[in-house]
Amino acid sequence: MQKIQHNINALFNHFNEIIGLYRQLAKRLGVGYNTLAVLYCIYLNQQCTQKMICESWWLPKQTVNNLTQEMLGKGWLEQADDASPGRGKLLRFTAEGLAFAEPIVQAVMQAEQATFTALGDERCEAIIGFTARYAELFKHYSDLNTDTE
């Protein structure tokens, strides 16, 4: 049992370190972590709803709403109605917003891609597989259903 707890602590120390590194990189790029999350998600998807950002980055609805409202006010984002009923408004960059977001998101993506390249395909697939399986098992054993939150 002690070895299991040691491994759990090591795993979460690494998870927390990775999140901390994203926070440091965001700060170095002149934005906060939550702002980075919003910019990254919209950039990656070209357009998305606030709900999609919340679900992708596990951020509170109010945080995402505040950030997107701020970005709408600065003219970085524009809204469009989603064709699907009840899906909310799609957010996408204006030309000014894209000019702001692109160098920030590209810097993060460059670091991520270099990291994955250095790890190699086999290790990347293993990391993805193991973390996906851990999430699946943790959800099962903790009796959590994330779809209802």
Side-chain angles (χ1 to χ4, degrees):
M1 192 62 121
Q2 192 173 10
K3 181 176 172 80
I4 290 174
Q5 191 59 52
H6 171 78
N7 288 340
I8 291 167
N9 292 343
L11 176 67
F12 281 96
N13 284 338
H14 292 303
F15 283 163
N16 290 331
E17 180 182 11
I18 291 167
I19 296 301
L21 292 169
Y22 273 86
R23 288 184 185 283
Q24 287 178 345
L25 182 54
K27 184 177 179 181
R28 190 177 75 185
L29 294 168
V31 297
Y33 175 80
N34 295 337
T35 299
L36 172 63
V38 172
L39 297 175
Y40 193 106
C41 194
I42 295 170
Y43 185 86
L44 191 65
N45 295 291
Q46 297 180 354
Q47 60 183 17
C48 59
T49 63
Q50 288 185 12
K51 183 178 180 180
M52 290 168 65
I53 298 167
C54 293
E55 290 173 353
S56 293
W57 286 75
W58 291 82
L59 295 176
K61 293 176 189 177
Q62 191 61 46
T63 299
V64 172
N65 183 60
N66 289 343
L67 287 167
T68 56
Q69 291 304 312
E70 180 183 329
M71 291 177 192
L72 284 162
K74 290 180 177 181
W76 294 350
L77 298 178
E78 59 187 12
Q79 290 181 324
D81 287 326
D82 188 345
S84 308
R87 294 278 300 160
K89 299 211 180 276
L90 287 171
L91 299 165
R92 60 180 168 243
F93 288 120
T94 61
E96 184 181 353
L98 183 59
F100 174 78
E102 190 164 41
I104 293 168
V105 176
Q106 283 292 321
V108 175
M109 291 175 128
Q110 184 178 7
E112 291 169 333
Q113 290 168 7
T115 301
F116 265 58
T117 299
L119 284 170
D121 289 342
E122 190 174 313
R123 284 189 177 131
C124 290
E125 289 175 19
I127 289 170
I128 293 165
F130 290 140
T131 54
R133 183 68 177 144
Y134 182 89
E136 179 184 312
L137 289 169
F138 186 82
K139 182 178 178 180
H140 171 76
Y141 288 116
S142 62
D143 197 27
L144 291 174
N145 184 354
T146 57
D147 297 335
T148 60
E149 286 197 22

